[in-house]
Every structure is written in structure tokens, then in C-alpha cells.
């Protein structure tokens, strides 16, 4: 079974959706470790509640990003992870980390990329006045939210919305497409071709 390492900084509701999919048997992967850069992240409690190994590696304990990332790499490699899953990890990753795990890092972003990359994407979309927003899963490259897109889901922006109600509608879709993206990956059905991701059909006959 393939192993993933989850990086997070906060509540970890996406992490929970992945745990739920694994425990229900829909997603056949092993969550080998969860690492937080913040010791009070509720995601760490979620890991403990489900018997998943967890570590806190605080970026503030390291003099620069590279040394922090070298420690992350050491920990993730120690668990032999096949894939790094970013689930609300609020640190920019440098080329050092991205090259080490080339095409082996997946992120979820709460907007329809390439619109509204970076932080506060839900607010960016709301303030812009779009009629629809949503979320995207993607492989991570050296840019900010620029890597090849795996899945996207759309939600409407309703007249009475504020950025929070829009954000929670988006989050519901995140919890659907993140486990689904990982399922496709775990079944070997994602093939990166340039900046596109081809989704192979389940019998691998390339009709996907
Ligand atoms: C989500 O909005 C995700 O799209 C973004 O960070 C947030 C994490 O939320 N990358 P949670 O910790 O999974 O609840």
C-alpha cells in the first residue's frame, strides 16, 4: 500500500476527510505520518485520535526555510512516504523541498486556479465579485499554486454570501475532491503530461 505524509498547520478538516475515506475503505493508502509546524494545530489531535503517527516541527526553531525543510524531508523520508499531502500547510515551500519530492506533492487550493492563488483565496474571490468559485487539487511545482491541476469543483456565490459562507461552501467540496484526488493517485491513474494531468480510466486502457 502506498504511503502518504500529511503536512498541516491548523484545524485539519481536509485531513479528517482523508482519514474518513481511509477508514471507510474507499481510499486504500497508509497515512504514515502527520507533521505540523504549529504545536497547537488541531490536526495533530485528529492524528492522535486515529492512531496516526504525528510530529511537530516548528519552523520557528530553524534559522531559515531551507534548514526547516531539510528537517521536514528527513522526517518524511524516515517514514518512506510516496506522496506529500498538503492539508492547510501555511508555509511556502522552496525549490529544495519541491525538487526533492518532484511530482510527489499534492495541494488543495480554495479557488478555481489559476484565479486567486496565494493566501485568502476565498476572500479574494468574494471581493472580486465572481459568480462562481470553488477549489482545485494540484501537483505542486516551484510556483505558488501553479502546478498541474488534478480535480476542480465549482460552487455558486449567492447574493447573501460573505467570505465565510462562501468559504464553508467551498470547504464542503474540498472534502469531496481531496480524497477523490488521492484515490486516483493511489490507483496510479494520474499521469502528468506537461502542465496537464491525464486521468486514466480504472482499467488503465487510457480512455480516461
Ligand atoms: C483549506 O481552505 C485549504 O483549501 C487551504 O487551507 C485550508 C485548510 O483547512 N489550503 P483545513 O485545515 O483542512 O480545515
Amino acid at each position: 500500500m502506498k504511503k502518504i505524509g500529511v503536512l498541516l498547520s491548523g484545524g485539519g478538516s481536509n485531513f479528517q476527510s482523508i482519514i474518513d475515506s481511509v477508514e471507510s475503505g474507499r481510499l486504500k493508502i497508509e497515512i504514515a505520518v502527520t507533521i505540523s509546524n504549529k504545536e497547537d494545530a488541531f490536526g495533530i489531535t485528529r492524528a492522535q485520535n486515529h492512531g496516526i503517527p504525528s510530529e511537530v516541527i516548528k519552523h520557528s526553531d530553524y534559522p531559515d526555510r531551507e534548514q526547516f525543510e531539510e528537517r521536514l524531508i528527513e522526517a518524511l523520508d524516515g517514514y518512506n512516504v510516496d506522496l506529500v499531502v498538503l492539508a492547510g500547510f501555511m508555509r511556502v515551500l522552496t525549490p529544495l523541498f519541491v525538487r526533492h519530492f518532484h511530482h510527489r506533492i499534492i495541494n488543495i487550493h480554495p479557488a478555481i486556479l489559476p484565479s486567486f492563488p496565494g493566501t485568502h483565496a476565498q476572500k479574494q474571490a468574494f471581493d472580486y465579485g465572481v459568480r462562481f468559485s470553488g477549489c482545485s487539487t494540484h501537483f505542486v511545482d516551484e510556483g505558488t499554486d501553479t502546478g498541474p491541476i488534478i480535480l476542480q469543483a465549482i460552487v455558486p456565490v449567492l447574493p447573501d454570501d460573505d467570505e465565510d459562507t462562501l468559504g464553508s461552501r467551498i470547504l464542503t467540496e474540498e472534502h469531496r475532491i481531496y480524497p477523490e484526488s488521492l484515490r486516483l493517485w493511489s490507483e496510479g491513474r494520474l499521469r502528468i503530461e506537461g502542465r496537464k494531468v491525464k486521468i486514466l480510466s480504472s482499467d488503465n486502457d487510457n480512455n480516461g
Side-chain angles (χ1 to χ4, degrees):
M1 196 166 334
K2 288 184 176 167
K3 295 183 180 185
I4 68 166
V6 176
L7 299 187
L8 50 76
S9 305
S13 70
N14 277 289
F15 175 42
Q16 186 68 52
S17 75
I18 295 165
I19 295 171
D20 293 346
S21 293
V22 169
E23 291 187 349
S24 74
R26 281 194 309 275
L27 178 57
K28 294 179 176 52
I29 55 166
E30 177 186 339
I31 306 173
V33 65
T34 301
I35 299 172
S36 172
N37 64 315
K38 297 202 167 171
E39 58 195 344
D40 59 351
F42 186 62
I44 290 292
T45 305
R46 294 184 195 270
Q48 290 165 348
N49 288 344
H50 291 267
I52 296 165
S54 59
E55 289 191 24
V56 174
I57 301 176
K58 287 158 60 179
H59 60 274
S60 51
D61 285 344
Y62 296 85
D64 55 38
R65 286 185 194 277
E66 282 76 11
Q67 289 183 54
F68 168 60
E69 291 182 356
E70 277 166 8
R71 178 71 193 93
L72 286 181
I73 289 168
E74 181 185 47
L76 291 162
D77 282 349
Y79 284 92
N80 287 315
V81 305
D82 299 294
L83 184 76
V84 179
V85 172
L86 305 181
F89 185 63
M90 302 306 287
R91 301 300 296 172
V92 171
L93 293 168
T94 76
L96 172 88
F97 189 92
V98 175
R99 286 177 194 159
H100 184 85
F101 293 106
H102 181 65
H103 286 173
R104 294 196 294 136
I105 311 169
I106 294 180
N107 182 42
I108 188 155
H109 182 73
I112 296 297
L113 293 170
S115 292
F116 312 121
T119 55
H120 306 299
Q122 305 93 329
K123 177 172 166 43
Q124 290 186 55
F126 182 78
D127 289 348
Y128 196 90
V130 295
R131 298 295 184 198
F132 293 90
S133 191
C135 49
S136 312
T137 54
H138 64 93
F139 285 100
V140 172
D141 66 10
E142 292 180 24
T144 301
D145 302 319
T146 52
I149 291 167
I150 303 167
L151 295 178
Q152 294 185 306
I154 305 285
V155 303
V157 181
L158 300 178
D160 292 336
D161 269 342
D162 55 30
E163 63 195 62
D164 293 332
T165 56
L166 174 61
S168 64
R169 193 174 304 117
I170 292 170
L171 194 60
T172 300
E173 291 301 301
E174 293 184 40
H175 297 162
R176 189 174 63 76
I177 71 166
Y178 215 173
E180 176 64 7
S181 301
L182 296 179
R183 189 178 66 79
L184 292 169
W185 170 81
S186 70
E187 293 173 358
R189 293 172 58 192
L190 301 179
R191 184 193 293 161
I192 300 173
E193 296 181 351
R195 73 148 294 108
K196 294 184 184 169
V197 177
K198 183 166 187 174
I199 300 178
L200 306 177
S201 59
S202 54
D203 56 5
N204 275 356
D205 65 5
N206 291 3
N207 291 328

